[in-house]
Amino acid sequence: MINVFVLQNGRLNQVNIESRNDLEKAAPVWVDLTDPNDEERAWVKSIYGVTLPGEDEVKDIEASARYYEAENGDLHLRTDFLLEEDDGPSRVITVAFILARNMLFSVHNDDLPVFRLVRMRARSRPGSIADYKDVLLDLYATDAEYSADALEGIYQSLEEVSRRVLQKQLTDQDAADALSSIAQEEDLNGRIRRNMMDTRRAVSFLMRGRLLNTEQFEEARQILRDIESLDGHTAFLFDKINFLMDATVGFININQNKIIKIFSVASVAFLPPTLIASIYGMNFRILPELNWDMGYPFALALMLGSAIAPFWYFRRRGWLN
């Protein structure tokens, strides 16, 4: 799908593209392609002379493959954007940016909330965008805001987990649910940290390339400051996640130790009856109680008393609490 945006009075207005002729007539500042097919790629190449990268090229992680200037002067950037979904885990989507002919081209496989938010804001805030580089910087700034919102969601989720973990009685099922929640938040926090690191690299590349004017350069510096502040939040969240993980595992160990203690006490308590039963099970010809009518009840009572006595002693010492 091709989304074409033209700049009118500082607003991004979307142009409806249904054919190649529609694309030729447009004078876009931003061409956004979501999972483009071969025909759409051919339109962009023939009309603008821009070759869009393939999926394998987008996934390269080397700096030389993510930020470079082509022989024809086109500037290529690869940037990761966070995508949170209600029905599944979060993902990182890599977007390929191409800056060519005073236009911004973006290629990605999934529609991203950051892109939708930038389009909505540009329509409602006239004068916020002056050229294609403003669009790119606005995408990076909005990405930082989106990541900050995701971090706030992690804070709220961990607070809920804290209330469950630090309650008076934590069952094994509660602990298992808490560990699952903690693992999900840790994974999301890691993705946000990676996303911000990648955005920092992209913005720094733009600043080093001297492509930005004074106002845009200052905006880029503000984006880097925002990312730096988010790094502190992610580091704090990692510490909190580790604390909750250790606390949950500790409570699981306590519950398991309680079970082991019960078995240990039961084993010790049944040692005296076993000893008595062993004595009376000896095949000696002469036993004092062998011919005694009350010998059998006496042995049973002795075994019962020898079992009760350890339990009474352990309870008095508080070892069963």
Side-chain angles (χ1 to χ4, degrees):
M1 180 173 62
I2 298 181
N3 297 307
V4 173
F5 301 90
V6 298
L7 193 60
Q8 296 177 346
N9 300 322
R11 297 175 185 264
L12 279 181
N13 293 325
Q14 186 169 358
V15 178
N16 188 29
I17 302 297
E18 296 182 354
S19 65
R20 175 192 170 97
N21 187 45
D22 293 335
L23 188 60
E24 290 177 340
K25 292 179 179 180
V29 67
W30 180 21
V31 180
D32 182 41
L33 298 101
T34 303
D35 194 18
N37 55 37
D38 293 338
E39 183 181 23
E40 292 169 340
R41 289 175 176 270
W43 290 355
V44 172
K45 183 176 182 179
S46 61
I47 296 174
Y48 304 110
V50 174
T51 302
L52 301 178
E55 186 174 350
D56 293 337
E57 297 177 85
V58 173
K59 293 181 179 180
D60 289 338
I61 62 175
E62 296 85 359
S64 59
R66 293 180 70 88
Y67 317 105
Y68 65 94
E69 184 175 354
E71 295 180 357
N72 59 359
D74 295 347
L75 196 65
H76 292 253
L77 297 93
R78 310 285 189 268
T79 308
D80 294 334
F81 285 81
L82 182 67
L83 175 60
E84 285 192 281
E85 296 178 317
D86 296 334
D87 56 349
S90 62
R91 293 185 292 148
V92 171
I93 305 299
T94 302
V95 179
F97 291 112
I98 303 174
L99 284 72
R101 291 117 179 104
N102 294 325
M103 290 178 287
L104 173 67
F105 297 85
S106 56
V107 184
H108 46 97
N109 291 333
D110 297 87
D111 190 22
L112 294 166
V114 170
F115 284 57
R116 294 195 298 268
L117 186 57
V118 167
R119 296 194 295 262
M120 180 186 68
R121 287 181 174 178
R123 288 195 297 266
S124 61
R125 296 185 307 184
S128 61
I129 293 178
D131 59 16
Y132 65 102
K133 289 178 287 187
D134 283 337
V135 175
L136 181 59
L137 290 176
D138 205 10
L139 286 170
Y140 287 146
T142 306
D143 185 36
E145 295 178 18
Y146 184 76
S147 297
D149 292 339
L151 287 176
E152 291 179 3
I154 296 178
Y155 273 108
Q156 295 176 358
S157 298
L158 291 181
E159 286 297 324
E160 177 61 28
V161 173
S162 297
R163 286 192 292 269
R164 288 186 301 181
V165 170
L166 301 179
Q167 62 183 342
K168 188 173 182 180
Q169 295 293 334
L170 183 70
T171 65
D172 290 345
Q173 184 59 48
D174 292 336
D177 294 339
L179 285 176
S180 177
S181 299
I182 293 172
Q184 292 177 4
E185 300 308 326
E186 193 278 338
D187 180 70
L188 177 56
N189 192 44
R191 293 181 189 278
I192 293 174
R193 192 177 184 91
R194 171 192 166 185
N195 183 40
M196 288 297 94
M197 178 185 68
D198 187 76
T199 303
R200 179 191 289 114
R201 293 170 62 192
V203 174
S204 298
F205 176 78
L206 290 174
M207 296 173 70
R208 290 195 306 270
R210 299 180 180 179
L211 302 171
L212 309 177
N213 58 37
T214 303
E215 189 173 326
Q216 292 170 341
F217 192 86
E218 183 57 34
E219 183 179 355
R221 291 180 61 184
Q222 181 59 48
I223 294 173
L224 294 181
R225 286 193 290 267
D226 292 341
I227 292 175
E228 185 176 357
S229 67
L230 292 181
D231 284 342
H233 286 285
T234 58
F236 170 78
L237 285 174
F238 274 125
D239 292 338
K240 187 174 181 64
I241 287 170
N242 289 332
F243 164 74
L244 289 175
M245 187 77 72
D246 293 341
T248 305
V249 173
F251 283 122
I252 293 175
N253 292 334
I254 290 175
N255 290 340
Q256 292 177 344
N257 289 338
K258 288 180 180 179
I259 297 174
I260 298 300
K261 182 174 69 173
I262 292 174
F263 281 106
S264 300
V265 169
S267 300
V268 173
F270 283 106
L271 282 177
T274 304
L275 176 62
I276 295 172
S278 300
I279 293 174
Y280 283 97
M282 296 178 180
N283 295 319
F284 290 110
R285 186 170 59 87
I286 299 175
L287 282 174
E289 298 84 9
L290 186 62
N291 297 318
W292 183 28
D293 292 340
M294 297 298 295
Y296 180 63
F298 171 76
L300 293 178
L302 189 61
M303 286 188 286
L304 180 61
S306 64
I308 294 175
F311 277 109
W312 173 81
Y313 180 75
F314 292 156
R315 180 175 294 279
R316 185 172 182 180
R317 295 297 300 269
W319 293 350
L320 296 180
N321 296 330

